[in-house]
C-alpha cells in the first residue's frame, strides 16, 4: 500500500455515523411497532414506553445529521451525462464487468441515487413522524395520511439501507474503511472514482 | 356455552339531559374532579377527556322555527370490528372480551396514540401526564360481577337500557316503531354496520342524519388504517426479504469487487 488520500473529512464521517446509529435505532424501535409479532423487539430497547418516547428523538437527530450531509453533498450528487450511461450499464457494474462503464467522480451514479432516495424518504419520515408524535395536536386528516406514509417511507429507506450496507461492507472492499478512517489508497481511488482521483491528485 | 354479547341501548328521544350518567361514570371510575370548560352551551364540557369518558352532547336543532336539543350520549361504541384494536401495536393493550366489551389495559399501553387514529368515532383520549389512553370500559368490572354499568343503573328515564345485544336490537325496533307512530317518520336505529355492528345502539328520531347528533354517517375503519395494517405489511415484508435475499445471492454469484489497492502506473 502506498500513500493514502483523504476521501471523507472528519465532519463528514461524524455526520454519517451519527445518522447511521440513529437510523438503526429508529429502524429497530420502529419495527417493534410495525407488527405485534415484532413487539418483542421493544423489550430489547427498554420496553414499549421507552421505545415510544425515544424513537422520535432518534429520528430527529437522524434528520439533523442527514441534513448536514445533504447540505454538504447535494451539489456533488447532481447526475451528469456519464452518470446516465453508468445507470444504463449498472447491470454490468453489478457483475463486475467494468469495460465501457464511464469513470465516476467523487460519487458514482449508484451512490447518487442512494443519496436522493434516502434524502427524500428522510424528509417524508420527518414530516409524517412529527404528525404521529403528537396525536392530540395533529389534525385527524393529517394523522390518517401520516400513519400510512411513515411506514411506507421507512420501508423504502430500510430497503435502501440493506443495499447500502451490503455494498459498503461486503461488495466493495475498502468502502467501509474509507468512511471509518477517512482515507483510501491511490489505487482504490483511481479504480473506483477515476475522475475524482485526477481532481484531487492533480495529475 | 357461548357468552352473550352485551350491549347498551340509548334511546335519544328519552334523554332529558340531566347528566346523571356523567356523574355516575365519574364516581364509579373514581375520576379526579376537573373543572369543565364552559363554551356557552349546557354541555358539561366540549369534549371527552382522559378522565371524562361519557359526555351528553346537547346538539342544537331547529325544526320549523322551533329550537330543540338532539341529545346524544358520546362514549366508546364497543365496535365488533374495532379500529382501535386494529391500529394498536402493543399486544394486550386493548382487549375484546368474549361479551363484546372493548377494554383498554393501561398497563400494556405504550401511549403511541395509534388507536385514536384508528377509531372511527374519535373516542380514546391520551393523558399528557400518564401517557396512556383512556375511554369508557362499559364498566367491564361491574358487568363481570353481574351488575349493570353505572350510567345505565342511574338513568332516571329509561333512555338507557343494558342487556343482551339481541334483546336490545328488538327493543330498539319496538321503540322506533313507537316513534314512527308518534309522527317521527325518519326514526331509526344506529348500530354501525360498517364496523361489524356496535355494542352501543342508538334510537334516533332523525336516523337518516346521524351527523345532527354528532355521529358519523357511515362509520368504518379508515381505509388508510386498513391498508397500513393489512396489505402494506405483506408488501413491505416481502420487499425486505427480497432485498436481503438478493444481496446474498449477488455475493454468492459475483463476490466482491477487486480491491485495486496497489498503485501501479
Ligand atoms: C425523522 C424523524 C422521525 C420521527 C419524528 C418519527 C416519529 C415516529 C413516531 C412518533 C412513531 C410512533 C411510535 C413511536 O413513537 O415509536 C413512529 C413509528 C415508526 N417509525 Fe418513525 N420517526 C422518525 C424517523 C424514523 C426513521 C428514520 C425510521 C427508520 C427507517 C422510522 C421508522 C418507523 C417505523 C417502522 C415506525 C412504526 C410504523 C408502524 O407502526 O407501522 N422512523 N415514528
Ligand atoms: S368506538 Fe373507537 S375506541 Fe370504542 S371500540 Fe370502537 S374503535 Fe375502539
Ligand atoms: S396508545 Fe396504547 S392502546 Fe392506543 S394504540 Fe398505542 S399502545 Fe395501543
Amino acid at each position: 500500500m502506498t500513500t493514502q488520500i483523504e476521501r471523507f473529512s472528519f465532519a463528514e464521517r461524524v455526520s454519517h455515523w451519527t445518522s447511521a446509529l440513529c437510523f438503526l435505532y429508529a429502524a429497530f424501535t420502529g419495527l417493534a411497532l410495525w407488527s405485534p409479532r415484532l413487539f418483542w423487539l421493544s423489550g430489547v430497547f427498554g420496553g414499549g414506553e421507552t421505545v415510544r418516547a425515544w424513537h422520535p428523538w432518534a429520528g430527529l437527530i437522524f434528520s439533523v445529521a442527514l441534513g448536514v450531509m445533504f447540505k454538504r453533498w447535494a451539489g456533488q450528487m447532481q447526475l451528469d451525462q456519464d452518470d446516465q450511461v453508468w445507470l444504463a450499464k449498472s447491470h454490468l457494474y453489478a457483475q463486475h464487468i467494468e469495460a465501457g462503464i464511464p469513470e465516476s467522480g467523487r460519487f458514482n451514479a449508484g451512490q447518487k441515487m442512494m443519496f436522493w432516495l434516502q434524502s427524500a424518504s428522510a424528509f417524508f419520515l420527518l414530516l409524517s413522524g412529527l404528525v404521529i408524535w403528537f396525536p392530540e395536536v395533529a389534525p385527524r386528516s393529517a394523522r390518517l395520511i401520516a400513519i400510512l406514509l411513515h411506514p411506507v417511507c421507512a420501508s423504502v429507506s430500510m430497503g435502501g439501507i440493506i443495499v447500502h450496507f451490503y455494498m459498503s461492507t461486503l461488495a466493495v472492499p475498502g468502502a467501509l474503511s474509507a468512511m471509518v478512517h477517512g482515507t483510501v489508497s491511490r489505487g482504490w481511488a483511481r479504480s473506483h472514482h477515476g475522475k475524482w482521483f485526477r481532481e484531487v491528485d492533480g495529475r | 356455552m357461548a357468552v352473550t354479547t352485551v350491549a347498551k341501548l340509548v334511546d335519544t328521544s328519552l334523554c332529558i339531559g340531566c347528566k346523571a350518567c356523567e356523574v355516575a361514570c365519574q364516581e364509579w371510575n373514581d375520576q379526579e374532579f376537573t373543572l369543565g370548560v364552559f363554551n356557552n352551551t349546557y354541555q358539561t364540557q366540549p369534549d371527552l377527556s382522559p378522565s371524562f369518558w361519557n359526555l351528553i352532547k346537547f346538539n342544537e336543532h331547529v325544526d320549523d322555527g322551533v329550537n330543540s336539543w338532539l341529545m346524544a350520549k358520546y362514549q366508546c361504541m364497543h365496535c365488533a370490528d374495532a379500529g382501535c384494536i386494529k391500529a394498536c401495536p402493543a399486544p394486550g393493550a386493548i382487549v375484546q372480551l368474549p361479551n363484546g366489551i372493548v377494554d383498554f389495559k393501561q398497563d400494556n399501553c405504550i401511549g403511541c396514540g395509534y388507536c385514536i387514529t384508528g377509531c372511527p368515532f374519535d373516542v380514546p383520549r391520551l393523558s399528557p401526564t400518564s401517557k396512556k389512553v383512556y375511554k369508557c370500559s362499559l364498566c367491564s368490572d361491574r358487568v363481570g360481577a353481574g351488575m349493570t354499568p353505572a350510567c345505565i343503573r342511574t338513568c332516571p328515564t329509561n333512555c338507557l337500557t343494558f342487556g343482551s345485544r339481541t334483546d336490545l336490537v328488538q327493543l330498539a325496533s319496538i321503540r322506533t316503531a313507537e316513534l314512527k307512530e308518534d309522527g317521527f317518520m325518519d326514526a331509526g336505529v344506529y348500530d354501525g354496520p360498517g364496523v361489524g355492528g356496535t355494542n352501543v345502539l342508538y334510537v334516533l328520531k332523525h336516523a337518516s342524519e346521524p351527523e345532527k347528533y354528532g355521529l358519523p354517517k357511515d362509520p368504518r375503519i379508515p381505509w388508510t388504517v386498513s391498508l397500513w395494517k393489512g396489505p402494506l405489511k405483506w408488501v413491505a415484508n416481502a420487499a425486505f426479504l427480497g432485498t436481503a435475499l438478493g444481496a446474498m445471492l449477488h455475493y454468492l454469484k459475483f463476490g466482491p469487487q477487486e480491491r485495486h489497492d496497489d498503485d501501479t502506473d
Side-chain angles (χ1 to χ4, degrees):
Chain A
M1 286 232 262
T2 49
T3 18
Q4 299 276 306
I5 48 182
E6 183 181 65
R7 176 143 174 80
F8 294 115
S9 70
F10 179 67
E12 285 173 328
R13 283 177 286 146
V14 169
S15 47
H16 175 273
W17 289 112
T18 306
S19 82
L21 286 178
C22 292
F23 181 92
L24 282 180
Y25 179 85
F28 281 112
T29 53
L31 281 173
L33 308 185
W34 169 241
S35 154
R37 281 173 200 272
L38 288 177
F39 193 72
W40 59 269
L41 269 173
S42 67
V44 180
F45 294 93
E49 290 165 290
T50 311
V51 160
R52 199 283 176 241
W54 289 6
H55 168 101
W57 290 103
L60 220 53
I61 302 172
F62 162 78
S63 306
V64 170
L66 201 92
V68 171
M69 283 194 278
F70 186 87
K71 203 158 165 273
R72 209 168 246 278
W73 287 346
Q76 308 170 22
M77 292 289 180
Q78 305 298 328
L79 290 144
D80 62 20
Q81 285 292 311
D82 283 351
D83 289 325
Q84 303 292 347
V85 180
W86 194 101
L87 285 176
K89 299 194 170 175
S90 53
H91 58 287
L92 298 175
Y93 175 85
Q95 298 169 47
H96 310 324
I97 303 170
E98 313 251 326
I101 297 180
E103 287 191 313
S104 295
R106 186 172 184 212
F107 299 104
N108 70 34
Q111 292 173 306
K112 291 179 180 176
M113 298 302 282
M114 182 62 70
F115 173 84
W116 293 113
L117 180 85
Q118 296 302 344
S119 301
S121 52
F123 177 74
F124 288 110
L125 274 171
L126 177 62
L127 223 67
S128 55
L130 289 173
V131 171
I132 326 177
W133 199 350
F134 305 103
E136 333 83 297
V137 182
R140 183 169 175 79
S141 49
R143 275 184 282 130
L144 284 170
I145 300 169
I147 45 101
L148 195 58
L149 188 62
H150 198 73
V152 164
C153 294
S155 307
V156 168
S157 66
M158 286 190 274
I161 286 304
I162 296 177
V163 175
H164 179 64
F165 177 78
Y166 168 64
M167 295 294 288
S168 52
T169 54
L170 288 170
V172 185
L176 181 62
S177 145
M179 195 45 96
V180 175
H181 303 111
T183 56
V184 292
S185 70
R186 292 163 52 93
W188 190 94
R190 182 187 296 114
S191 61
H192 289 282
H193 299 274
K195 278 196 278 181
W196 171 70
F197 173 70
R198 283 192 299 281
E199 262 167 49
V200 292
D201 199 52
R203 293 192 229 164
Chain B
M1 195 193 79
V3 182
T4 355
T5 304
V6 295
K8 157 160 65 185
L9 176 65
V10 184
D11 183 345
T12 55
S13 69
L14 294 180
C15 177
I16 55 169
C18 70
K19 305 174 183 173
C21 58
E22 290 182 357
V23 177
C25 179
Q26 293 299 90
E27 294 245 302
W28 176 258
N29 293 300
D30 211 11
Q31 305 288 21
E32 63 193 273
F33 174 78
T34 42
L35 266 183
V37 180
F38 180 64
N39 66 343
N40 228 4
T41 71
Y42 279 82
Q43 250 169 249
T44 307
Q45 51 186 50
D47 199 6
L48 298 175
S49 84
S51 57
F52 198 85
W53 305 341
N54 166 39
L55 174 71
I56 298 296
K57 279 196 186 170
F58 286 57
N59 301 289
E60 288 172 18
H61 177 65
V62 187
D63 202 359
D64 275 340
V66 181
N67 288 310
S68 65
W69 279 307
L70 300 181
M71 302 294 184
K73 192 172 180 295
Y74 179 29
Q75 83 280 279
C76 171
M77 303 290 285
H78 299 276
C79 313
D81 186 10
C84 56
I85 296 182
K86 185 153 214 168
C88 179
I94 310 178
V95 293
Q96 194 162 32
L97 305 179
N99 62 11
I101 293 180
V102 176
D103 208 0
F104 282 15
K105 300 286 180 205
Q106 278 76 21
D107 284 350
N108 297 327
C109 169
I110 65 166
C112 63
Y114 285 2
C115 51
I116 305 171
T117 308
C119 171
F121 297 95
D122 187 26
V123 165
R125 292 290 179 272
L126 187 62
S127 158
T129 43
S130 72
K131 302 270 192 269
K132 309 272 182 186
V133 284
Y134 299 88
K135 68 157 189 70
C136 153
S137 66
L138 202 63
C139 287
S140 60
D141 46 355
R142 293 177 61 98
V143 172
M147 294 192 284
T148 301
C151 56
I152 298 168
R153 182 86 177 74
T154 216
C155 177
T157 69
N158 275 339
C159 160
L160 303 180
T161 322
F162 179 75
S164 90
R165 191 172 193 278
T166 340
D167 292 351
L168 291 188
V169 167
Q170 256 174 356
L171 182 57
S173 61
I174 295 171
R175 292 265 176 94
T176 307
E178 287 170 357
L179 279 173
K180 283 191 171 153
E181 267 171 42
D182 289 350
F184 296 100
M185 296 320 288
D186 191 19
V189 181
Y190 183 91
D191 62 354
V195 291
T198 54
N199 292 334
V200 173
L201 313 165
Y202 290 88
V203 171
L204 307 177
K205 278 184 195 165
H206 307 275
S208 64
E209 295 165 298
E211 308 92 322
K212 285 189 172 171
Y213 295 83
L215 294 165
K217 174 114 192 161
D218 179 21
R220 278 170 198 286
I221 298 182
W223 67 267
T224 56
V225 172
S226 305
L227 187 59
W228 163 40
K229 291 291 174 173
L232 177 63
K233 293 271 118 93
W234 301 111
V235 172
N237 291 351
F240 285 150
L241 294 178
T243 312
L245 193 71
M248 187 186 84
L249 291 178
H250 179 268
Y251 194 74
L252 296 178
K253 184 143 171 69
F254 300 109
Q257 288 181 3
E258 262 179 82
R259 273 202 78 105
H260 303 293
D261 266 343
D262 52 323
D263 188 23
T264 48
D265 84 335

